[in-house]
Amino acid sequence: LDNGAARVPPMGWSNWMAFGCDGVNERVVRAAADALVAKGLAAVGYSIVGVDDCWAQPQRNASGYLVADVAKFPSGMRALADYVHARGLRFGIYSSAGVHCCQRTQPGSLGYEWLDALLFAAWGVDYLKYDGCYMEEYADVLRDAPRRFPFTPPPVLRYPQMALALNRTGRRITYLCNFPWQFWHLDGDAAMGGEWVGELCNAWRVGGDAQPGFEYAVSYVDQYE
């Protein structure tokens, strides 16, 4: 994706492996930002502090916008982004190209790409991890798409739609397509396979869920040599 972002591989921290769905909150995220700086990791390129799944309330508000879980993030996402930025880091957030996110605790962005992109930009988000869960109900949200996304969509659906929305906000947001790794073998189907990700995403997924530990990281290198 030629938007000036992620000219080198994006690196940083995400809460998912250590804290999962139940443990994500602003205290954990702030502590991680402080640790990246204190341990010297930020100085060598680990610049992203990412909030993964389970950060939002189960329902959107009356205007259709996502709402942060006030029990987990009482100061709000804009304040959390400001905290991260004040340490010279970039703030990341999570959504999914479906009607729900993967843990089914919060809405996905399918059909709300433009509203969510505007909200993320207003919060000061620098990095979006965009997952691929609950994508099957596109036909339902398509009926209301002109109101929710007032631009002509590109021919390939879901991931490109969010790419266009993010770029229309005017804020440079690195776009990680957490493209379902099971689809990579479908090279003969342009709509399902992932040959298009380099054009439409800054970074993308190429394997199963990561696990903690150096040995697991090395196994990914072995897999793609």
Side-chain angles (χ1 to χ4, degrees), residues 39-57:
K39 295 178 181 296
L41 293 169
V44 294
Y46 289 84
S47 62
I48 298 167
V49 178
V51 177
D52 212 286
D53 202 353
C54 309
W55 61 265
Q57 293 185 8

Side-chain angles (χ1 to χ4, degrees), residues 13-132:
W13 175 91
S14 167
N15 67 275
W16 189 251
M17 290 310 306
F19 298 96
C21 184
D22 295 333
V24 60
N25 59 61
E26 69 177 45
R27 178 187 57 81
V28 165
V29 177
R30 291 186 181 206
D34 292 339
L36 285 180
V37 175
K39 295 178 181 296
L41 293 169
V44 294
Y46 289 84
S47 62
I48 298 167
V49 178
V51 177
D52 212 286
D53 202 353
C54 309
W55 61 265
Q57 293 185 8
Q59 303 295 329
R60 293 173 178 271
N61 66 19
S63 299
Y65 288 98
L66 294 166
V67 180
D69 186 324
V70 294
K72 295 178 177 181
F73 299 95
S75 301
M77 287 303 188
R78 179 72 219 199
L80 185 57
D82 289 344
Y83 187 93
V84 171
H85 292 154
R87 282 141 187 80
L89 302 169
R90 296 184 290 158
F91 181 61
I93 208 161
Y94 169 97
S95 190
S96 180
V99 293
H100 308 288
C101 288
C102 290
Q103 302 304 304
R104 208 181 172 92
T105 63
Q106 69 177 66
S109 293
L110 184 63
Y112 291 86
E113 291 88 351
W114 178 232
L115 291 183
D116 291 354
L118 284 174
L119 183 64
F120 298 155
W123 281 347
V125 168
D126 305 293
Y127 180 92
L128 172 65
K129 174 185 173 183
Y130 203 45
D131 224 329

Side-chain angles (χ1 to χ4, degrees), residues 183-196:
F183 292 175
W184 275 108
H185 69 284
L186 301 175
D187 295 334
D189 187 335
M192 294 295 286
E195 293 183 354
W196 45 266

